[in-house]
Structures are given as C-alpha cells and as structure tokens.
C-alpha cells in the first residue's frame, strides 16, 4: 500500500525531470551546447559567452576548430557536447540532420533549438524543425534564431533586428529558450506550436514581399511616361523638322518623367482609402470584407508613398542639375544673341516670371510635406506619436501634399492645355494625363466632406448598419418623460 501511494499518477517522458531542472537553471549554471562549427555557430558562441553562459561546442574534428571559438567555450566531440549540455543549438544544415542520429540517446529529454533555413519558400510542410522532431522524438524541439544573422549575433542586437520568433510543442522548452533570448538582449516572440515553424523558416527567404507591387507599378509608370515624353519631345521634332533632340533623353526626359510618376504614385496612396469608404457607404456596413486586391492595396500604401517620395527627390535633384548641362548653356547663349540681333535686349515677361515663381514655391512646399510623411512612416518615429497624431500627419498633411503637388503640376501646365500646338501627333500634353488621377482623388475626398456623406460614413464606422434597426424604449425618468427613442446601430 505505501508503495502504491508513492507511485506518481502521471508518468513523465524520459528525461522529463532533467528538462524541468534545465528550465529552472540560472545562466551561470546552465550549460549551452552548439552542434556545428560554421559562421553562425561561432557568432552564437561569442554572444552566449558574453551573456554569461557556459558554452560547449560539438564538432566532428574538434582540434581543427578550437582556435576559431572564444577561449571560454569548450570545443569537443559531438557526443561529449550532447552529454554535457542542458540545452543545445542544432546549427547544421537540415540535410545533415540525419548524421546526428547516433546522438539520440544523449539528446533524450533535452531541448534542441533548430536554427536552420530552407533554400526556397515552402508552401507545404513538413518544415526542417518538424523533420528534426521526427528524428528525435524524445527531445523537445524549439524553432528559433533562424531570422537572426551571424553579424547580428556578433555585433549585438543594437545593430540588427531584436525580435526572435520561437515556436514549440513543449511550453517548458519554449520558456527556457525565451529566457535565454532575453538574457542575450533579444525580444522573443511566441509563434505558438511547432506547426508554425514553416512560416518562421520562410521569413528570411521573402524578398520585399510588400514592395513588389509598388515597385512594379512605379517602373511601369516610368516606362510609360518616358516613352510618351520621348515621342513628344524627341520623335516629333525629328519627324516634322528633322531636328535631333536625342541629347534630351538622359536628363531632360527623365526629369519630366519622375514628377509624373511621383504624382500618380502619391494618388495611389489615397485612392484605396476612398474606394474603401465608398464601398462601406454602398454596403451600409463596415462588417463586409473588402476584396483581396483592395486589402493588399491598403496594406501597401506606405510603400507606394515612399516610392512617390523617391521620385520627387530625384526630380528635385535632376532639376538642380539642368543648368549645369552644356546644352543649357548653348541654348542660353543662342537666345541672348537672337534677342540682341532682333533689337529686343529686354526679355522680361511678367507672366512667365510669375508662373515660374509660383511653380517653384509650390513644388518646394509639396516636397517638404512629402519629406514629413516619409519621416513619420519610419517605425522609430511612428512609435513616438499617438494614433491621432499619426493619422493627422499621414491623412491631413498627406492630402495637403497631394494638393500642393497637383497645384504644382497645374501651374506648370498653365494655359498649354488650350493651345492646339501643344498636341503633338494629337497627343495631349503629359501633365493632362498626370492630373486625371490626383484630381479624381481630391474630388472624392471633397465628396466625403459633405455633411450628408461624412455623417453617414461616421455612423457606419461606429457600427451602424443599413439592414439592421433596433427599436428600444428608454427607462422612465424625469428627463426623458418616458418618450420612445429610436436609434440605428
């Protein structure tokens, strides 16, 4: 009977008590093992030693790699490292995981941290960590540290990303690795069970996924407007007057193209918000999901805005370089000789002077507002402002920047839209094509400012639905006099 009472009700897995003890150890007593001797292993060993941990490195040829690791780290055989360590990092390529099978008895009941990455993005499992867990069923596999580079480990978290994504089927193992992350100066992010390891392994393989559509759109717009401007300013003079204007292609045509792309891309930042607002007004509710294309568009507005800012900055730089060209100097000298020979030394035209002064002033203000938007979009700056301040800058000042940029283009066009001589090959001036989208966006924003539209949109975004009406009677009191009140929710 006493023996039955002393017997535990739930049997632990092999090494379970040791696993619990390892999670309760302090950094000075916890022995960390590293299986592998590559660049990542060396940087990891240095970081662990600097964080106060005891480190043992397992290698197939210890004598060959001893000099590459810190003196405080012991470099020994894989079997000895597996026997000594309480927690081990598996820093070998996933295709070599099978070479560690002979360590299975020594690794039973211990935590294994898989730091491997795949060669390409996988849509379906199993992941490297899941395959490692299948090879070592008696160990506790944790996926993590695969998004941290060897340089970040060596230089410290201050010079790189501080987040470490972790997932595991064992909570104690994951907690011990989280404590290790904090001790090393990183921020652990719990991604749940080991089934999330495929997503974590794909993270380092993505190549600017949120930038793909904005960059493709910017390049497509650049090619279109560059070819359009080339036809008007290079091909047309050659066909009609045999005049060679090819010298305009490197700088002048590029300088005309960049502001076109910048203004259209800036309009594309605020167009999806307007589409979403009018869809909510049409549906009469905010609880319908937007189409997938609109969801992705809304998410990528920041990238569209930064592409617009880049084009605007390049336009400003190219504009400053225009007077430095030899062609500009020759044109200026020729113009001066023509005026002197014609007997009109005074070339002052008040209308053109005013147009250029306004054109430059409004352009500078537009670029300044765009710079403010770009700076505010930085995470380090956005984290220092509250939501109201952020929306004021990105929405209110953003529409001001769009208005200034549109006015900048309108002043540039001036009265050229009404001159038939400006329609080369019956093609309208470029600025007319560019103004279509920003003017449509600004008109849509003005429509949302109308009281009847803005009030209804505000109700919808606070939960009101067109198809649902709730009638209720307020409780009797002296203020309400028991009158019935009808409200839409």
């Amino acid at each position: 009977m006493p023996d039955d009472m002393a017997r535990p009700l739930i049997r632990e897995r092999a090494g379970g008590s040791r696993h619990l003890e390892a999670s309760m150890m302090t950094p000075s007593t916890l022995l960390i093992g590293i299986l592998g001797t590559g660049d990542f292993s060396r940087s990891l060993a240095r970081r662990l030693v600097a964080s106060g941990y005891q480190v043992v490195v397992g290698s197939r040829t210890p004598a060959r790699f001893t000099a590459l690791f810190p003196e405080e780290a012991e470099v020994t055989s894989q079997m000895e490292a597996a026997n000594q360590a309480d927690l081990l990092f598996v820093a070998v390529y996933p295709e070599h995981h099978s070479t560690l099978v002979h360590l299975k008895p020594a690794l039973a009941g211990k935590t294994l941290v898989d730091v491997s990455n795949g060669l390409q993005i996988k849509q379906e499992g199993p992941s490297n960590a899941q395959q490692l867990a299948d090879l070592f069923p008696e160990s506790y596999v944790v996926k993590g540290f695969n998004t941290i580079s060897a340089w970040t480990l060596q230089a410290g978290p201050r010079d790189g990303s501080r987040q470490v994504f972790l997932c595991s089927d064992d909570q104690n193992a994951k907690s011990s690795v989280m404590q290790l992350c904090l001790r090393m100066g990183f921020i652990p992010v719990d991604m749940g069970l080991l089934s999330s390891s495929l997503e974590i392994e794909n993270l380092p393989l993505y190549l600017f996924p949120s930038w793909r559509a904005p960059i493709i759109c910017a390049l497509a717009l650049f090619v279109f407007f560059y070819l359009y401007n080339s036809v008007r300013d290079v091909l047309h003079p050659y066909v009609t007057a045999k005049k060679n204007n090819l010298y305009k292609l490197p700088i002048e045509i590029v300088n005309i193209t960049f502001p076109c792309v910048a203004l259209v891309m800036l309009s594309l930042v605020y167009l999806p918000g307007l589409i979403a607002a009018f869809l909510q007004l049409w549906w009469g509710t905010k609880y319908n999901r937007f189409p997938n294309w609109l969801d992705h568009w809304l998410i990528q507005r920041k990238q569209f805005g930064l592409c617009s800012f880049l084009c605007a900055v390049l336009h400003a730089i190219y504009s400053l370089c225009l007077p430095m060209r030899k062609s500009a100097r020759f044109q200026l000298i020729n113009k001066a000789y023509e005026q002197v020979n014609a007997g009109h030394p005074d070339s002052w035209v008040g209308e053109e002077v005013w147009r250029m002064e306004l054109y430059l002033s409004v352009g500078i203000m537009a670029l300044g507002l765009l710079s403010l938007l770009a700076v505010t979009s930085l995470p380090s700056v956005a984290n220092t402002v509250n939501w109201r301040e952020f929306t004021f800058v990105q929405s209110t000042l953003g529409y001001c920047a769009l208005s200034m940029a549109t006015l900048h283009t309108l002043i540039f066009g001036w009265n050229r839209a009404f001159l038939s001589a400006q329609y080369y090959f019956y093609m309208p001036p470029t600025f007319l094509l560019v103004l279509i989208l920003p003017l449509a966006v600004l008109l849509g924003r003005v429509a949302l400012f109308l009281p009847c539209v803005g009030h209804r949109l505000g109700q919808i975004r606070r939960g009101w639905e067109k198809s649902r009406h709730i009638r209720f009677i307020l409780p009797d009191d002296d203020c309400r006099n028991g009158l019935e009140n009808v409200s839409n929710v």
Side-chain angles (χ1 to χ4, degrees), residues 283-285 456 459-460 463-472 484-489:
W283 293 332
T285 179
R456 177 54 57 89
Q459 284 183 319
I460 291 174
W464 179 88
E465 292 185 82
K466 181 172 60 176
S467 59
R468 297 181 61 188
H469 304 279
I470 298 177
R471 181 181 295 270
F472 62 91
E484 186 182 29
N485 186 11
V486 178
S487 177
N488 294 326
V489 179

Side-chain angles (χ1 to χ4, degrees), residues 280-281 284-286 455-464:
Q280 289 178 338
L281 288 169
T285 179
K286 70 173 185 178
H455 178 69
R456 177 54 57 89
L457 183 60
Q459 284 183 319
I460 291 174
R461 290 181 173 175
R462 292 181 65 87
W464 179 88

Side-chain angles (χ1 to χ4, degrees), residues 388-458:
R388 185 177 181 183
E389 294 168 343
F390 182 80
T391 53
F392 172 78
V393 173
Q394 295 296 327
S395 180
T396 305
L397 295 186
Y399 273 103
C400 290
L402 181 61
S403 301
M404 290 291 104
T406 304
L407 183 59
H408 178 67
T409 307
L410 286 171
I411 296 175
F412 170 80
W414 205 249
N415 62 346
R416 298 177 187 176
F418 308 104
L419 301 178
S420 59
Q422 294 293 324
Y423 290 77
Y424 307 145
F425 292 144
Y426 301 100
M427 299 169 63
T430 309
F431 73 91
L432 287 181
L433 300 180
V434 175
L435 286 172
I436 294 175
L437 194 57
L439 288 177
V441 172
L442 292 175
L443 290 176
R445 183 60 177 174
V446 171
L448 293 181
F449 274 126
L450 297 176
C452 57
V453 179
H455 178 69
R456 177 54 57 89
L457 183 60

Side-chain angles (χ1 to χ4, degrees), residues 25-53:
M25 289 182 178
T26 60
S28 59
T29 59
L30 185 63
L31 183 60
I32 306 297
I34 302 175
L35 298 178
T37 54
D39 295 337
F40 187 89
S41 301
R42 294 195 291 270
S43 299
L44 180 61
R46 289 189 178 92
R47 192 65 197 164
L48 288 170
V49 169
S51 302
Y53 287 99

Side-chain angles (χ1 to χ4, degrees), residues 172-468:
N172 290 331
K174 186 163 52 178
S175 298
S176 62
V177 179
M178 283 185 173
Q179 294 174 6
L180 184 143
C181 287
L182 293 172
R183 178 80 178 184
M184 295 171 67
F186 295 100
I187 300 175
V189 179
D190 191 349
M191 297 292 288
L193 300 178
L194 198 62
S195 57
S196 302
S197 58
L198 185 63
E199 179 184 355
I200 297 177
E201 290 176 3
N202 286 336
L203 287 177
L205 302 177
Y206 291 123
L207 181 62
F208 302 114
S210 59
W211 284 89
R212 189 172 305 160
I215 290 177
I216 292 176
C217 183
L219 289 176
L221 288 171
F222 182 86
V223 171
F224 170 76
F225 283 115
Y226 186 83
L227 294 177
Y228 191 89
N229 291 322
S230 299
V231 171
R232 285 179 48 84
D233 297 339
V234 178
L235 183 60
H236 179 267
Y238 181 78
V239 172
T240 57
K242 298 299 180 179
K243 186 177 180 180
N244 188 356
N245 285 345
L246 289 175
Y247 70 92
K248 293 184 176 181
L249 292 176
I251 294 183
E252 190 168 337
I253 301 298
V254 173
N255 187 47
I256 299 174
T257 303
F258 271 130
C260 300
V261 179
L263 185 53
V264 174
M265 292 292 289
L266 185 60
S267 303
L268 294 176
V269 174
Y270 297 99
L271 181 59
L274 293 178
I275 296 175
F278 283 111
L279 281 178
Q280 289 178 338
L281 288 169
W282 177 264
W283 293 332
T285 179
K286 70 173 185 178
Y287 298 108
N288 288 352
R289 285 192 59 85
F290 295 128
N292 289 332
W293 59 269
L294 184 56
D295 273 335
H296 293 305
W297 194 354
L298 289 167
I299 294 173
Q300 296 171 350
R301 287 179 294 178
K302 172 183 175 180
Q303 287 74 20
F304 275 94
L306 291 176
C307 288
S308 172
F309 174 68
L310 174 63
C311 293
V313 171
L314 291 175
H315 169 55
I317 296 174
Y318 270 86
S319 299
L320 292 175
C321 295
L322 289 178
M324 304 179 187
R325 300 174 303 154
K326 284 288 186 180
S327 58
R329 298 178 184 179
F330 290 149
Q331 288 176 350
L332 182 62
I333 295 173
N334 292 337
K335 193 68 174 178
Y337 276 123
E338 289 178 4
Q339 291 175 354
V340 172
N341 294 333
H344 301 287
D346 187 6
S347 60
W348 182 275
V349 180
E351 180 181 352
E352 290 296 321
V353 170
W354 270 104
R355 184 180 73 86
M356 185 55 64
E357 296 293 322
L358 294 174
Y359 170 73
L360 292 175
S361 177
V362 175
I364 293 171
M365 287 190 289
L367 182 59
L369 290 173
L370 274 177
S371 303
L372 182 61
L373 295 176
V375 171
T376 311
S377 66
L378 296 175
S380 58
V381 178
N383 292 334
T384 61
V385 297
N386 58 35
W387 177 246
R388 185 177 181 183
E389 294 168 343
F390 182 80
T391 53
F392 172 78
V393 173
Q394 295 296 327
S395 180
T396 305
L397 295 186
Y399 273 103
C400 290
L402 181 61
S403 301
M404 290 291 104
T406 304
L407 183 59
H408 178 67
T409 307
L410 286 171
I411 296 175
F412 170 80
W414 205 249
N415 62 346
R416 298 177 187 176
F418 308 104
L419 301 178
S420 59
Q422 294 293 324
Y423 290 77
Y424 307 145
F425 292 144
Y426 301 100
M427 299 169 63
T430 309
F431 73 91
L432 287 181
L433 300 180
V434 175
L435 286 172
I436 294 175
L437 194 57
L439 288 177
V441 172
L442 292 175
L443 290 176
R445 183 60 177 174
V446 171
L448 293 181
F449 274 126
L450 297 176
C452 57
V453 179
H455 178 69
R456 177 54 57 89
L457 183 60
Q459 284 183 319
I460 291 174
R461 290 181 173 175
R462 292 181 65 87
W464 179 88
E465 292 185 82
K466 181 172 60 176
S467 59
R468 297 181 61 188

Side-chain angles (χ1 to χ4, degrees), residues 114 116-131 141-144 146-147 165-169 191-206:
D114 177 35
S116 65
N117 283 316
L119 298 177
Q120 59 185 3
I121 297 176
K122 293 183 180 179
Q123 302 299 333
E124 297 180 357
S127 65
N128 298 336
Q130 289 173 322
Q131 293 176 354
V141 176
V142 178
K143 185 67 187 183
N146 63 304
T147 58
F165 300 96
L166 302 173
C167 68
S168 176
D169 291 335
M191 297 292 288
L193 300 178
L194 198 62
S195 57
S196 302
S197 58
L198 185 63
E199 179 184 355
I200 297 177
E201 290 176 3
N202 286 336
L203 287 177
L205 302 177
Y206 291 123

Side-chain angles (χ1 to χ4, degrees), residues 78-89:
Q78 292 181 343
M79 182 60 72
E80 291 183 5
N83 286 324
Q84 296 179 27
D86 304 297
L87 183 150
L88 293 101
F89 284 86

